Amino acid sequence: MNLLLTILFDGITYASWLFIVALGLTLVFGVLKILNIAHGSFYAVGAYAGASLVGWLLSIQMAPAFSLVALFAAAVAVSAVLAPLTERGLLRMFYGRDEVLLVLVTYAMFLMLEDITKLLWGVNPYYVSDTYQAFGTLHIAGQSYVGYDVLLIGLATGCGLLTWWVLNRTRQGKIVTAVIHSAEVAASMGVNVSRIYTLAFMCGVFFAALGGALTAPMISVQPGLSVGVIIVSFAVVIIGGLGSIEGAAIGALIVGLARAAAVHIWPPAELFSIYVVMAVILMFRPEGLFQRIQARKI
């Protein structure tokens, strides 16, 4: 029973930050129809920016609990700087062209950002574990759980619910949905499609950077972060269905639980468990769990 609870909690914790990252990826695909390979790089930049800002706060004797605000601020800063430069300065030139070309463009940006992060932050790892320890531990059913992990689960849930509410219950969300279904028709009705694209891309970059910033206290932030994250994020959105928020949530849970079960039951299986699960699901649902072939939605 204790092993089951441990697997469940570890799986949900892993799925939480992964869902935040995948949420940005599926949002960008749903609105802009772009498979953004550079999404993993935005995650890495968010992790570095969050670790740097938290490290500075700790150096001036600020309480570690305040660093949570710094992590959000780092994600906002990364989105505000990188998203307009990327979408307006690069991607906009390739809209309406072959989707493979856009994949290659984002892959090129991924390679550039890998080297830029090394130039800015070097190759030595960053540690901000004080933040991870600042929220204490919770004791439930005889098990101890880190408070930061519980907080992370709540934040991921809040991000998902807020995004769903904005897209489905607000006027701006209805406009985004109209652009998703037909950008040409939306533009003919007076919608500023270019502005919607920029805002959607900014939200996508924000979620990627937020996922990186929130995981910075849990890991050593070092070169190579972006590679593993983008692979697993694509596994999540492929399992759930490209462009589906519900699919991203379910996909993240499946991936998180599969990884946690492998780690606790048979550790060598961690290397391939996610991909085995993805292959099995795609055998029966090639379009993903929530993807409709007829229309792309989020």
Side-chain angles (χ1 to χ4, degrees):
M1 185 62 181
N2 287 341
L3 177 61
L4 181 61
L5 288 175
T6 301
I7 291 174
L8 184 62
F9 185 78
D10 287 352
I12 294 175
T13 301
Y14 185 82
S16 297
W17 69 263
L18 187 56
F19 167 66
I20 295 174
V21 179
L23 181 60
L25 187 63
T26 201
L27 183 64
V28 169
F29 179 82
V31 179
L32 283 77
K33 284 79 172 176
I34 296 175
L35 287 172
N36 184 17
I37 306 297
H39 200 72
S41 297
F42 298 139
Y43 167 91
V45 173
Y48 273 108
S52 299
L53 190 53
V54 169
W56 175 75
L57 286 178
L58 295 177
S59 69
I60 60 173
Q61 307 301 315
M62 289 289 290
F66 286 104
S67 58
L68 191 63
V69 177
L71 296 177
F72 273 92
V76 171
V78 170
S79 176
V81 173
L82 289 183
L85 288 175
T86 303
E87 196 276 331
R88 294 185 177 181
L90 180 63
L91 297 180
R92 187 167 293 187
M93 295 185 292
F94 298 93
Y95 289 161
R97 304 177 70 174
D98 196 298
E99 292 181 356
V100 175
L101 181 59
L102 279 166
V103 171
L104 294 176
V105 169
T106 59
Y107 178 64
M109 186 171 184
F110 165 81
L111 296 177
M112 290 188 294
L113 285 174
E114 270 292 289
D115 290 332
I116 290 173
T117 54
K118 292 177 184 177
L119 289 173
L120 292 176
W121 284 282
V123 296
N124 294 321
Y126 283 66
Y127 300 95
V128 285
S129 57
D130 288 349
T131 301
Y132 187 66
Q133 301 166 0
F135 296 90
T137 58
L138 298 177
H139 302 279
I140 303 173
Q143 297 288 309
S144 296
Y145 303 102
V146 179
Y148 187 88
D149 291 342
V150 176
L151 180 63
L152 182 59
I153 294 171
L155 290 173
T157 303
C159 288
L161 291 175
L162 179 61
T163 304
W164 181 90
W165 181 79
V166 169
L167 289 173
N168 293 278
R169 294 290 186 270
T170 66
R171 180 176 180 273
Q172 289 74 18
K174 300 299 182 183
I175 293 174
V176 172
T177 302
V179 172
I180 291 171
H181 288 298
S182 177
E184 293 80 7
V185 173
S188 68
M189 298 180 68
V191 175
N192 189 337
V193 175
S194 295
R195 182 171 176 269
I196 296 298
Y197 282 174
T198 301
L199 290 176
F201 195 80
M202 287 186 69
C203 290
V205 174
F206 169 74
F207 284 127
L210 180 62
L214 291 175
T215 53
M218 305 165 64
I219 59 175
S220 64
V221 181
Q222 57 188 340
L225 277 179
S226 54
V227 178
V229 167
I230 192 59
I231 293 174
V232 179
S233 297
F234 269 113
V236 167
V237 297
I238 289 171
I239 289 172
L242 287 166
S244 170
I245 291 177
E246 299 89 345
I250 299 299
L253 281 173
I254 291 173
V255 167
L257 292 173
R259 177 187 174 276
V263 167
H264 289 282
I265 297 174
W266 188 33
E270 180 192 358
L271 298 173
F272 58 85
S273 59
I274 295 172
Y275 311 107
V276 169
V277 171
M278 180 175 69
V280 170
I281 291 175
L282 293 182
M283 286 174 59
F284 298 97
R285 294 280 295 180
E287 70 278 10
L289 295 176
F290 286 85
Q291 173 74 2
R292 292 187 175 91
I293 297 177
Q294 293 84 357
R296 188 182 285 117
K297 75 178 187 67
I298 60 173

